[in-house]
């Protein structure tokens, strides 16, 4: 059931995926509704929360016609929730907003200004400050990615090979470019694949102002699901008791991303070469997938045999 409805065509669609998000949700919502660029729609997609999340969301939807609240009957996983929001977007620009992060008031205005004036950019993201549970500053976050490069293969290579936090996925993205991708797939690190695929469609623009505050706290998904295979169930709730091969899936999705993109033959070959080199650096992870799948299969067999 959805509540609330925007009154005029928005410039930006804000998508807020939530599940048991009561702790920081009000601070996040207040920061989004205080944006100096006011022509936006804000869609909240609730994965069947059982805490005060629904109450909070309905209150904001009742108070502001730009807010629309959609509640789902069951938890279908974080990836599904993110994708649902992207497909609901009506605006030319789209931004995911995590329910525990904070945006400075000029965040949207500055990003939209850059994208309006730079058609070569598919995404715009300000610099980041990391904060703690109480909102205290941990420190600035900076990356070594060449995502602003005009060279497609440089962007692709860095987004495969350099370990980084995926904060760009919370940037303002051109909606048509986003919808050409595989969106947020139901596999671990699908946000990394999405960013790499977007980089095949254009450069990223970055604003030299720290307008994004990313909260680091014990309850966030990357802390709760540190294990690679536990995290897979967070992305897709149906995978909790199934054997999975996340590294193989990860590599396959990178391959598909190149296949989907509108590239020259030379660019496509170069991207595949980069991926092959990357795969060699993580070859032990491919073997771990088989070992983990074997453990899950044996556990499921024991459970089945133990049933009366």
């Amino acid at each position: 059931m959805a509540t609330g409805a925007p009154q005029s065509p928005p410039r930006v669609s804000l998508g807020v995926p939530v599940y048991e998000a009561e702790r920081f949700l009000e601070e996040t919502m207040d920061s989004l509704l205080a944006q100096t660029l006011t022509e936006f729609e804000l869609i909240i997609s609730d994965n069947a929360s059982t805490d005060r999340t629904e109450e909070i969301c309905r209150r904001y939807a009742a108070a502001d016609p730009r807010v629309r609240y959609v509640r789902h009957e069951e938890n279908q996983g974080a990836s599904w929730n993110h994708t649902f929001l992207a497909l609901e977007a009506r605006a030319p620009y789209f931004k995911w907003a995590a329910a525990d992060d904070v945006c400075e008031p000029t965040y949207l205005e500055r990003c939209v200004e850059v994208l309006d004036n730079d058609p070569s950019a598919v995404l715009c993201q300000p610099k980041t400050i990391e904060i703690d549970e109480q909102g205290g500053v941990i420190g600035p976050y900076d990356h070594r990615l060449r995502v602003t490069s005009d060279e497609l293969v440089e962007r692709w290579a860095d987004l495969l090979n350099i370990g980084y936090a995926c904060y760009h996925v919370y940037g303002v993205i051109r909606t048509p470019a986003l919808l050409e991708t595989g969106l947020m797939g139901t596999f671990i690190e699908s946000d990394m694949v999405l960013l790499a695929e977007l980089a095949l469609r254009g450069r990223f623009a970055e604003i030299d102002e720290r307008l994004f505050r990313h909260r680091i706290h014990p309850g966030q998904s990357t802390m709760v699901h540190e294990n690679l295979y536990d995290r897979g169930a967070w992305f897709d709730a149906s995978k909790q008791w199934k054997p999975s091969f996340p590294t193989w899936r990860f590599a396959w999705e990178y391959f598909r991303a190149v296949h989907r993109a509108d590239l020259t033959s030379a660019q496509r070959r170069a991207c595949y070469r980069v991926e092959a080199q990357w795969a060699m650096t993580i070859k032990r992870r491919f073997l771990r997938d088989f070992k983990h799948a074997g453990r899950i299969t044996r556990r499921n067999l024991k459970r089945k045999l133990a049933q009366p």
Side-chain angles (χ1 to χ4, degrees), residues 17-22 25 45-55 57 69 71-75 81:
V18 296
Y19 177 68
E20 314 291 45
E22 65 176 2
L25 181 57
S45 180
D46 185 356
N47 244 342
S49 297
T50 59
D51 62 1
R52 291 180 53 249
T53 294
E54 180 178 6
E55 172 195 332
C57 292
Y69 173 61
R71 179 175 174 82
H72 307 288
E73 294 184 357
E74 60 182 24
N75 181 2
N81 212 12

Side-chain angles (χ1 to χ4, degrees), residues 127-128 140-149 153-168 204 206 210:
K127 287 192 172 182
T128 300
Y141 173 83
D142 295 298
H143 61 76
R144 297 178 292 118
L145 303 169
R146 293 175 292 177
V147 290
T148 62
S149 172
V153 178
E154 287 185 352
R155 301 192 301 264
W156 174 257
D158 279 12
L159 286 166
L160 260 68
N161 289 313
I162 297 178
Y164 60 95
C166 293
Y167 297 158
H168 283 88
F204 295 177
E206 296 182 331
R210 298 198 184 272

Side-chain angles (χ1 to χ4, degrees), residues 180-192:
E180 289 175 357
T181 71
L183 295 172
M184 200 76 81
T186 56
F187 56 93
I188 62 162
E189 298 172 334
S190 57
D191 47 357
M192 297 178 71

Side-chain angles (χ1 to χ4, degrees), residues 5 16 24 33 51 78 86 95 105 114 133 137 151 156 160 165 168 174 184 196 212 215 235 250 286 290 292 295:
V16 185
F24 304 109
L33 294 175
D51 62 1
K95 169 180 165 53
V114 169
E133 292 178 85
V137 173
E151 295 296 326
W156 174 257
L160 260 68
H168 283 88
R174 294 189 189 277
M184 200 76 81
F212 178 58
R215 193 184 307 272
F235 275 94
F250 190 36
F286 289 102
F290 286 112
H292 177 75
R295 286 195 295 270

Side-chain angles (χ1 to χ4, degrees), residues 4-254:
Q7 294 180 317
S8 59
R11 302 274 344 260
V12 183
S13 293
L14 298 173
V16 185
V18 296
Y19 177 68
E20 314 291 45
E22 65 176 2
R23 186 174 182 190
F24 304 109
L25 181 57
E26 290 168 297
E27 185 177 358
T28 295
M29 290 293 295
D30 289 342
S31 80
L32 295 175
L33 294 175
Q35 292 295 301
T36 54
L37 186 151
T38 60
E39 299 87 359
F40 60 80
E41 63 175 352
L42 195 159
I43 312 163
I44 310 171
S45 180
D46 185 356
N47 244 342
S49 297
T50 59
D51 62 1
R52 291 180 53 249
T53 294
E54 180 178 6
E55 172 195 332
I56 294 168
C57 292
R58 290 193 182 279
R59 173 159 42 86
Y60 277 96
D64 193 317
R66 296 173 299 178
V67 179
R68 177 158 61 99
Y69 173 61
V70 183
R71 179 175 174 82
H72 307 288
E73 294 184 357
E74 60 182 24
N75 181 2
Q76 301 188 62
S79 292
W80 182 93
N81 212 12
H82 280 72
T83 293
F84 172 84
L85 286 163
L87 295 176
E88 288 289 300
R90 298 189 305 129
Y93 300 126
F94 177 81
K95 169 180 165 53
W96 279 299
D100 49 6
D101 291 337
V102 176
C103 295
E104 297 295 338
T106 57
Y107 184 111
L108 290 183
E109 181 181 358
R110 295 286 289 114
C111 287
V112 167
E113 179 185 18
V114 169
L115 290 172
D116 280 348
N117 292 307
D118 186 356
S120 70
V122 297
L123 180 156
C124 183
Q125 169 74 348
K127 287 192 172 182
T128 300
I129 292 176
E130 294 179 330
I131 60 175
D132 60 22
E133 292 178 85
Q134 290 74 39
V137 173
I138 296 172
Y141 173 83
D142 295 298
H143 61 76
R144 297 178 292 118
L145 303 169
R146 293 175 292 177
V147 290
T148 62
S149 172
D150 291 325
E151 295 296 326
L152 178 150
V153 178
E154 287 185 352
R155 301 192 301 264
W156 174 257
D158 279 12
L159 286 166
L160 260 68
N161 289 313
I162 297 178
Y164 60 95
C166 293
Y167 297 158
H168 283 88
V169 83
Y170 294 113
V172 177
I173 308 168
R174 294 189 189 277
T175 305
L178 178 62
L179 295 180
E180 289 175 357
T181 71
L183 295 172
M184 200 76 81
T186 56
F187 56 93
I188 62 162
E189 298 172 334
S190 57
D191 47 357
M192 297 178 71
V193 174
L194 172 59
L195 287 176
E197 187 167 7
L198 281 170
L200 295 176
R201 286 163 169 76
R203 53 184 293 277
F204 295 177
E206 296 182 331
I207 296 172
D208 194 20
E209 301 173 51
R210 298 198 184 272
L211 304 178
F212 178 58
R213 292 178 173 256
H214 174 70
R215 193 184 307 272
I216 297 176
H217 60 94
Q220 66 188 139
S221 60
T222 52
M223 297 291 188
V224 175
H225 307 285
E226 291 186 45
N227 180 278
L228 180 72
Y229 303 99
D230 291 342
R231 208 178 309 151
W234 177 76
F235 275 94
D236 182 356
S238 69
K239 294 180 178 178
Q240 185 173 4
W241 301 104
K242 296 179 181 179
S244 62
F245 301 86
T247 308
W248 291 89
R249 176 69 184 275
F250 190 36
W252 170 243
E253 293 297 340
Y254 272 136

